[in-house]
Amino acid sequence: MEPGIVSWGVYLPYWRLERRAIGQAFGTGGGKGSRAVASYDEDTTSMAVEAGRRALTPPGVPEPADLFFSTPAPAYLDKTNATTVHAGLGLASGSGAYDLCGSVRSSWATLQLAALAGARAPALAVVADLRTGLPGGPDETQGGDGAVAFLFAAEGGVTQQLGHASCTDEFLDRWRVPGETASRQWEDRFGEEAYLPLARSAFERALADAGIAAGDVDHLVVSGLQARAVAGLKKSLGVPADRVAPDHAGVIGNLGAAQTGLALADVLERATVGQVVVVVELADGADAVVLRTTGALPAVQEARREAGLTAVADLVGEGRSDLDYAVYLSWRGMLHREPPRRPDPERPDAPASRRTEGWKFGFNASRCTVCGFRHLPPTRVCLSCQSVDQMTSERMADLRGTVATFTIDHLAFSLSPPMVGAVIDFDGGGRYRGEMTDVDPGSVAVGTRVAMTFRRLYTTEGVHNYFWKARPVSDGSLGEMDGSEPEVNRAEGAATS
């Protein structure tokens, strides 16, 4: 059978930066709306893990045999980032993990490669982007951060590919050389003139390949970083405006490499059986694909709802929008603030990290097979019955817990003080003391429900130290923030230093 999409996942960070905050800093208007912002402890690798987790959450989803990861902003250059995503997802060591990094167009190749690999065995494509522009520039105000993941398999696909076309031309529209943090862009009118003929050609040839007309299109996705070209293309393809998928850029910004996947996931959550979906991406040329939704779509949509996965439209509306612009600049490395007056953390030890990979990246506990006691971190000797080497491994990353006690620490080393530490009791047993993130120190409380999220603790001597943190959640969705404060006694077990 022809491979198709069997599951998908979308991750958007907790934070939003209001564009007017940028404008106020420079004495300009700044524009309306906001953009999604990765926190100080997030990067494209950690966001990719979160998107992949959501794609693999619904029951019955097959485990991927291969993982393909794409981002224009990799955490490492001379190291495969996909292996960290692979470890964070707890995938089997017998599966592959590969990077396809560099440009926005690499994300399209990643999806195509995963689709082809899915004909043999399930394959996961993950795309993440962290858009950083110079302060006050359009990339900063209009960009956004996030990640998407799509799982392809030969059976159970909700999409069937009907046609495909690509156009390529060499022209200088957007570029960034090694060592630079922000991209440069040529004049907008030049980009528009270069892109529109290529995109129209790719669209028309893809429809011809599929044997359909523009009037047959039920959902049109058009994405790209060249805003003028994207806007002009949407109006010129002959598809009614009410069939053009929203890009949500006014609230979360343009996610760059992940923008196409975000819009496609949104369409799949709203589409019905037998509808035609056309996706066009403008990036150093143009690519177009024609898909038709299958009879498997309703069951997958229902399984996602039952699994508590938040729809894209709802994810866009969530998030905390009071991020200070100076704090944002410090997170992006554009503003060097006074560091904590504490010794810098030590560089992670490579041999130790490898020995404890199941705990460090997979967040696996050990459960005693004799008495059932659960240990975090895992251990060989049971703390309850003292049995030795009678343990089985259990992944804890996808379980929820409750804050038993917490500390708000203004003195500990943190890139975004204060640090909130908490003792967490996990559902089904097990207690862990760790750090919280995406949390308002004034609203955390004993009894707060939390889920684990994959984050970057710190970077020292060029080595990223990844581990798991806890974030407040509601019980209705996977790892999404609950804005209400639990009705519990905050004084019990709370401490401040």
Side-chain angles (χ1 to χ4, degrees):
M1 294 181 64
E2 182 179 337
I5 298 170
V6 297
S7 186
W8 60 91
V10 175
Y11 175 74
L12 294 176
Y14 167 67
W15 291 98
R16 303 285 187 270
L17 177 64
E18 295 287 342
R19 294 190 177 104
R20 65 171 178 267
I22 303 174
Q24 290 171 355
F26 293 95
T28 60
K32 299 179 181 179
S34 58
R35 60 159 291 169
V37 173
S39 185
Y40 72 96
D41 56 359
E42 293 185 289
D43 58 18
T44 51
T45 298
S46 67
M47 291 192 293
V49 171
E50 293 301 309
R53 291 176 67 196
R54 286 153 175 78
L56 300 178
T57 291
V61 171
E63 180 170 323
D66 289 302
L67 184 152
F68 303 95
F69 175 49
S70 179
T71 177
Y76 288 113
L77 290 178
D78 199 9
K79 180 191 180 306
T80 304
N81 299 274
T83 56
T84 305
V85 179
H86 179 282
L89 295 176
L91 302 183
S93 61
S95 59
Y98 311 97
D99 280 357
L100 290 88
C101 300
S103 66
V104 169
R105 201 175 196 187
S106 299
S107 64
W108 189 275
T110 302
L111 294 170
Q112 290 290 95
L113 185 57
L116 292 173
R120 173 184 58 84
L124 183 66
V126 189
V127 180
D129 206 346
L130 193 152
R131 305 304 305 177
T132 299
L134 293 176
D139 273 359
E140 180 185 64
T141 57
Q142 303 303 316
D145 307 332
V148 296
F150 291 92
L151 182 65
F152 294 85
E155 298 182 358
V158 303
T159 59
Q160 174 190 11
Q161 182 170 313
L162 304 180
H164 174 267
S166 296
C167 283
T168 299
D169 193 9
E170 166 55 25
F171 57 95
L172 192 63
D173 170 56
R174 173 181 294 273
W175 71 98
R176 184 178 76 241
V177 298
E180 292 185 338
T181 58
S183 298
R184 307 182 193 186
Q185 187 175 357
W186 208 266
E187 201 270 332
D188 284 346
R189 286 177 296 179
F190 169 75
E192 183 180 19
E193 293 172 358
Y195 272 119
L196 284 180
L198 298 172
R200 291 193 188 103
S201 175
F203 175 78
E204 292 167 359
R205 289 192 296 111
L207 292 187
D209 188 34
I212 65 173
D216 299 325
V217 177
D218 298 294
H219 300 276
L220 173 65
V221 173
V222 180
S223 66
L225 288 170
Q226 228 295 342
R228 285 182 57 153
V230 169
L233 186 66
K234 289 179 179 179
K235 299 176 181 178
S236 64
L237 296 181
V239 177
D242 60 352
R243 301 184 188 180
V244 179
D247 58 17
H248 303 294
V251 180
I252 60 173
N254 189 317
L255 304 189
Q259 183 66 24
T260 298
L262 174 88
L264 177 57
D266 185 27
V267 167
L268 293 178
E269 291 170 353
R270 296 182 289 104
T272 58
V273 176
Q275 290 193 316
V276 174
V277 181
V278 178
V279 182
V280 183
E281 182 175 84
L282 284 64
D284 298 313
D287 297 277
V289 65
V290 182
L291 306 172
R292 175 176 285 133
T293 57
T294 71
L297 181 61
V300 172
Q301 291 172 332
E302 179 61 26
R304 292 177 58 81
R305 286 190 291 267
E306 292 181 353
L309 290 166
T310 306
V312 170
D314 295 327
L315 279 177
V316 169
E318 296 178 352
R320 183 172 171 181
S321 60
D322 60 345
L323 179 62
D324 186 84
Y325 183 53
V327 173
Y328 164 80
L329 290 177
S330 69
W331 288 357
R332 283 296 202 266
M334 299 286 186
L335 180 64
H336 299 286
R337 63 184 294 178
E338 175 74 15
R341 295 182 179 178
R342 292 289 183 272
D344 290 342
E346 296 182 359
R347 183 179 66 179
D349 183 85
S353 295
R354 189 170 188 268
R355 287 194 302 268
T356 60
E357 178 183 339
W359 165 248
K360 179 173 175 57
F361 295 101
F363 203 62
N364 294 336
S366 61
R367 183 185 285 276
C368 179
T369 58
V370 177
C371 69
F373 193 88
R374 186 185 272 166
H375 304 79
L376 293 93
T379 181
R380 294 177 56 195
V381 180
C382 179
L383 296 177
S384 178
C385 70
Q386 286 74 55
S387 297
V388 180
D389 291 335
Q390 302 296 315
M391 300 290 177
T392 182
S393 179
E394 291 187 354
R395 179 174 169 87
M396 304 290 293
D398 302 322
L399 297 183
R400 302 232 171 160
T402 302
V403 172
T405 183
F406 66 95
T407 299
I408 301 174
D409 195 335
H410 294 265
L411 301 178
F413 181 92
S414 174
L415 298 177
S416 184
M419 176 188 292
V420 180
V423 175
I424 300 163
D425 288 332
F426 282 93
D427 298 347
R431 171 168 282 195
Y432 168 69
R433 183 180 66 185
E435 188 176 341
M436 296 188 69
T437 189
D438 293 350
V439 60
D440 178 4
S443 64
V444 65
V446 174
T448 297
R449 294 287 288 166
V450 298
M452 303 308 293
T453 180
F454 193 73
R455 296 298 171 102
R456 188 182 65 193
L457 299 185
Y458 56 83
T459 299
T460 302
E461 298 181 36
V463 178
H464 304 309
N465 187 23
Y466 293 102
F467 194 57
W468 296 81
K469 295 183 180 182
R471 59 181 301 193
V473 295
S474 64
D475 280 331
S477 58
L478 174 66
E480 305 309 332
M481 190 69 181
D482 181 6
S484 61
E485 182 174 350
E487 295 181 1
V488 296
N489 180 7
R490 287 193 57 221
E492 180 184 357
T496 301
S497 61

